């Protein structure tokens, strides 16, 4: 069979088109299989979030063991109903409170450009919530750590000027003002407070 030059050129053209189609199809498949969108969870981000959660849990555990966490929860001005000695707002916004727990928060997160909020749940079934620190709205990759602290009736406040005031005295009205959490524990227990830290990268 005689192959004319035009037939050979057409054959080469068809082979080139077929090869091009195969290459494009292969690249398309590869790109779809490995595409990373802004919403895709990367391994490094997940690792960072896990690390931040572990650090927050360690901070809560260490602070609770030293008594720093309880002292921070008791730093309450009962007459002005404020953590911030009567200033507005009643919670801290630029970092942790001026005590050992706050120093731990600032050293652990603030110095690494990690924002944090601290909320305290109290009352029956933790239905009520009071803010201790609010540094803004958490991002989508924020992580949370919690710790329960039991306060007793004879616990003293730690706010300046109220160090001799007990929760029992506030509860029965023998001292002026109110504590942010009500006496719902029964017996010697005043209440069980759940401290929740929310941290996120700035």
């Amino acid at each position: 069979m005689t192959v004319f030059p035009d037939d050979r050129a057409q054959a080469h053209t068809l082979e080139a088109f077929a090869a091009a189609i195969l290459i494009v199809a292969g690249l398309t498949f590869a790109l779809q299989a490995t595409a990373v969108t802004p919403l895709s969870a990367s391994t490094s981000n997940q690792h960072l979030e896990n690390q931040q959660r572990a650090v927050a849990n360690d901070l809560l555990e260490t602070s609770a063991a030293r008594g720093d966490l309880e002292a921070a929860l008791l730093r309450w001005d009962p007459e002005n109903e404020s953590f911030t000695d009567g200033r507005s707002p009643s919670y801290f916004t630029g970092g942790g409170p001026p005590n050992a727990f706050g120093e731990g928060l600032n050293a652990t997160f603030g110095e690494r450009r990690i924002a944090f909020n601290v909320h305290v749940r109290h009352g029956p079934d933790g239905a009520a919530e009071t803010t201790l620190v609010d540094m803004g709205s958490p991002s989508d990759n924020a992580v949370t750590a919690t710790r329960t602290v039991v306060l007793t009736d004879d616990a003293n406040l730690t706010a300046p000027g109220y160090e001799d005031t007990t929760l029992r005295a506030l509860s029965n009205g023998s001292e002026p003002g109110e504590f942010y959490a009500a006496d719902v524990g029964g017996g010697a227990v005043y209440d069980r407070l759940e401290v929740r830290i929310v941290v996120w990268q700035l």
Side-chain angles (χ1 to χ4, degrees), residues 38-124:
L39 298 178
S40 301
S42 69
T43 303
S44 61
N45 283 346
Q46 188 62 49
H47 174 72
L48 184 61
E49 291 170 16
N50 290 341
Q51 185 180 43
Q52 290 175 349
R53 183 181 291 107
V55 170
N57 276 314
D58 288 346
L59 175 63
L60 283 173
E61 183 176 351
T62 302
S63 298
R66 292 176 177 171
D68 298 339
L69 186 55
E70 179 178 339
L73 296 175
L74 291 167
R75 192 190 191 283
W76 179 256
D77 181 332
E79 294 184 82
N80 293 300
E81 299 185 4
S82 167
F83 279 114
T84 56
D85 305 333
R87 297 187 303 275
S88 182
S90 61
Y91 48 82
F92 298 94
T93 58
N99 49 41
F101 177 59
E103 291 171 3
L105 285 169
N106 294 335
T108 304
F109 300 117
E111 295 177 4
R112 297 163 53 198
R113 292 190 54 77
I114 299 175
F116 53 88
N117 291 340
V118 182
H119 303 285
V120 185
R121 287 182 176 170
H122 49 87

